[in-house]
């Protein structure tokens, strides 16, 4: 993912899942960051949700830049409903930050 081999990384990830593997926090972060860089935001959002859902198994806090990139995506697409759902999720995990809130406020203007 980090060198732009999105398809190879996805293939490895899916093969690992098929064999019963459980991604760790670093895997989720790498996948999310790669999909954000390649503008595959739906995949990035789904992976972030999966990573956050697994928090009961380990401690992971994605970088603030991930939350900002996704909230800016919602701002660009003017999807206020999804942005609010995302904010609720972020707040639940204590991950909401000022930039995320500002992105939501800009959607209201």
């Amino acid at each position: 993912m980090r060198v732009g081999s999105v398809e190879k990384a996805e293939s490895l990830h899916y093969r690992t899942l098929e064999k019963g593997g459980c991604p760790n926090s670093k895997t989720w972060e790498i996948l999310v960051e790669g999909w954000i860089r390649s503008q595959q935001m739906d995949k990035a959002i789904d992976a972030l949700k999966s990573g956050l859902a697994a928090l009961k198994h380990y401690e992971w806090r994605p970088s603030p830049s991930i939350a900002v990139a996704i909230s800016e995506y919602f701002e660009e697409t003017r999807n206020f409903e999804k942005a609010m759902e995302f904010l609720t999720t972020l707040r639940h995990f204590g991950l909401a930050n000022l930039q995320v809130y500002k992105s939501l406020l800009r959607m209201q203007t």
Side-chain angles (χ1 to χ4, degrees):
M1 267 306 189
R2 290 188 173 150
V3 295
S5 298
V6 176
E7 293 81 20
K8 286 183 181 180
E10 285 178 342
S11 177
L12 175 62
H13 172 65
Y14 294 131
R15 273 196 319 263
T16 303
L17 291 177
E18 287 172 2
K19 293 182 179 191
C22 182
N24 64 21
S25 59
K26 199 61 180 169
T27 301
W28 287 121
E29 189 152 355
I30 290 168
L31 289 169
V32 171
E33 288 172 350
W35 281 320
I36 287 172
R37 274 194 308 275
S38 65
Q39 296 297 304
Q40 297 181 54
M41 297 305 287
D42 290 334
K43 288 182 179 181
I45 293 164
D46 289 342
L48 180 62
K49 287 179 182 178
S50 295
L52 291 173
L55 278 177
K56 60 183 169 251
H57 302 294
Y58 55 82
E59 287 296 317
W60 170 57
R61 295 295 184 249
S63 69
S65 64
I66 288 174
V68 170
I70 292 173
S71 47
E72 286 174 351
Y73 164 75
F74 288 131
E75 181 183 352
E76 290 169 12
T77 59
R78 307 296 294 171
N79 194 335
F80 188 73
E81 184 178 320
K82 290 284 185 185
M84 288 303 297
E85 287 175 24
F86 182 63
L87 175 62
T88 300
T89 300
L90 292 177
R91 290 182 66 196
H92 175 76
F93 291 102
L95 301 172
N97 62 42
L98 183 59
Q99 289 175 298
V100 171
Y101 285 111
K102 284 182 177 181
S103 178
L104 280 170
L105 288 173
R106 285 191 297 267
M107 290 178 74
Q108 294 297 309
T109 58

